[in-house]
Amino acid sequence: MSLQIVCRGVRARTVIILLLVAIGPRLAHAQPPPTTTQPPPTTTQPPPTTTQPPPATTTEPGATTTEPKPGEEGVTFIGAGDIANCEVAGGGGARSTALILDRYPNAVIFTTGDHAYQTGSEKEFRSCYEPTWGRFKARTHPSVGNHDLITDKGKPYYDYFGEAAGPRNLGYYSYEVGTWHVIALNSAIPARKGTEQMKWLAEDLAAHKTECTLAYWHIARYSSGAHGSDPLMADAWKILYDAGADVVLASHDHNYERFAPMDDKGKPDDKGIRSFVVGTGGGGVYEFKGKAQNSEVKDNTTYGVLKMVLKPGSYDFEFIPMPGKTFRDSGSGKCSPVK
């Protein structure tokens, strides 16, 4: 639907406002429910982490950002991990990043784990996550982090998100975003080749041979941050690479980092997987400990979110900082051929 109006005078502007109010609700689109399957055994890895908070702000952002219409220019897919920590500046970081999400009322929201610090308790979800990112719960597709599992093996996490978090105590599932197949994995349960989760992943990819595939989880395969590159999800990366997947998102390290596309051995490959660390949701920031292989851009000066526009055959990406900060990163990529 297109609408062209020439404004002349106060009365014309009033008519435009009334028209926008009338058609606004028609622009919203329903988000796809997650698809879930197989149940593997559950183990948890909840090591404690420390935080070093940057100055937080709750300055209101500017005008609402225009989103692409589904089916025309792609679907907006936006989020981060390491989010709500009321022990750091009273939770101001999560409030600031939530203000960014407010500007994208039709976007699909992802999270890469560690939603409510320090222990993922019911109280922390209620008092710190709910008032911030919790207002987007109905369109959020979460993945579980180690801090989410500290309290009662993740019961508050699974209680809070319900079916949206995938099968209870498993936490992996897949769904569709526009023409893209999207997979949420659990880096806190066994993920080596032959485990139930990896069997499910291989089967899921075989059943969804789409041109464009994105996966996300909590503990980053590659990172220059305090935790560094972790081989925990190396087999998941290989399975995804062999299937022609395009993008992997993670966090765990509380900073932002973008990597060049890589193959299953961590070598540059134009048709490989591009990955991002987006641990910038508001839970504190970490120092970098060096530069990981194929790292292209990194920053730990601001909280923020990664916005992607998932299009048929390609994607755009942009790191958007919290209000008052200036670091940004943006670019685009094309999907690899289906293998």
Side-chain angles (χ1 to χ4, degrees), residues 61-62 89 109 119 166 182 196 213 238 264 270 274 279 311:
I109 294 175
T119 64
V182 178
E196 290 301 316
T213 300
K238 177 172 175 50
D264 59 319
D270 289 342
R274 180 182 291 282
K311 306 175 182 181

Side-chain angles (χ1 to χ4, degrees), residues 59-329:
T59 304
E60 287 289 344
T64 300
T65 303
T66 301
E67 296 179 58
K69 297 177 182 179
E72 294 182 2
E73 299 179 14
V75 180
T76 299
F77 187 67
I78 189 168
D82 305 297
I83 300 167
N85 189 342
C86 285
E87 295 180 8
V88 176
R95 288 198 300 272
S96 294
T97 52
L99 289 175
I100 303 172
L101 300 183
D102 281 333
R103 296 158 55 187
Y104 298 91
N106 297 324
V108 177
I109 294 175
F110 70 87
T111 61
T112 52
D114 284 1
H115 300 76
Y117 286 91
Q118 290 290 331
T119 64
S121 68
E122 188 275 335
K123 179 181 179 182
E124 288 164 337
F125 269 99
R126 183 181 68 251
S127 63
C128 201
Y129 185 86
E130 178 62 26
T132 56
W133 284 49
R135 59 180 178 264
F136 316 111
K137 180 179 176 182
R139 52 193 174 101
T140 295
H141 298 269
S143 63
V144 66
N146 54 290
H147 281 265
D148 295 319
L149 298 172
I150 292 175
T151 298
D152 200 9
K153 298 182 179 180
K155 184 177 184 301
Y157 167 82
Y158 287 105
D159 286 347
Y160 183 82
F161 285 110
E163 293 182 359
R168 183 173 286 267
N169 299 324
L170 306 182
Y172 53 80
Y173 57 96
S174 67
Y175 56 104
E176 314 303 312
V177 177
T179 59
W180 283 61
H181 186 60
V182 178
I183 303 166
L185 295 176
N186 185 346
S187 60
I189 64 174
R192 292 297 186 188
K193 183 179 179 180
T195 62
E196 290 301 316
Q197 182 174 205
M198 292 303 99
K199 290 177 182 177
W200 173 87
L201 174 60
E203 291 170 359
D204 182 79
L205 288 165
H208 299 88
K209 289 186 176 296
T210 54
E211 181 180 8
C212 302
T213 300
L214 179 151
Y216 60 99
W217 57 77
H218 183 60
I219 298 178
R221 174 67 186 94
Y222 298 101
S223 173
S224 300
H227 292 294
S229 298
D230 196 315
L232 179 70
M233 299 298 282
D235 287 348
W237 186 285
K238 177 172 175 50
I239 292 170
L240 288 162
Y241 174 79
D242 288 345
D246 304 284
V247 178
V248 164
L249 312 177
S251 54
H252 198 41
D253 275 326
H254 296 196
N255 43 54
Y256 171 79
E257 190 165 15
R258 166 168 59 88
F259 289 85
M262 289 182 272
D263 66 12
D264 59 319
K265 297 178 178 61
K267 296 180 179 179
D269 181 347
D270 289 342
K271 296 181 180 180
I273 299 173
R274 180 182 291 282
S275 65
F276 298 82
V277 176
V278 199
T280 52
V285 296
Y286 291 169
E287 296 295 325
F288 289 108
K289 67 175 186 180
K291 183 178 180 180
Q293 61 199 81
N294 302 308
S295 174
E296 293 183 321
V297 176
K298 56 190 176 76
D299 179 82
N300 67 346
T301 65
T302 179
Y303 297 129
V305 301
L306 178 66
K307 185 194 81 167
M308 302 190 71
V309 179
L310 305 182
K311 306 175 182 181
S314 67
Y315 60 92
D316 297 331
F317 64 86
E318 179 184 8
F319 178 82
I320 305 173
M322 69 184 192
K325 296 293 184 176
T326 59
F327 169 79
R328 285 182 180 268
D329 181 40

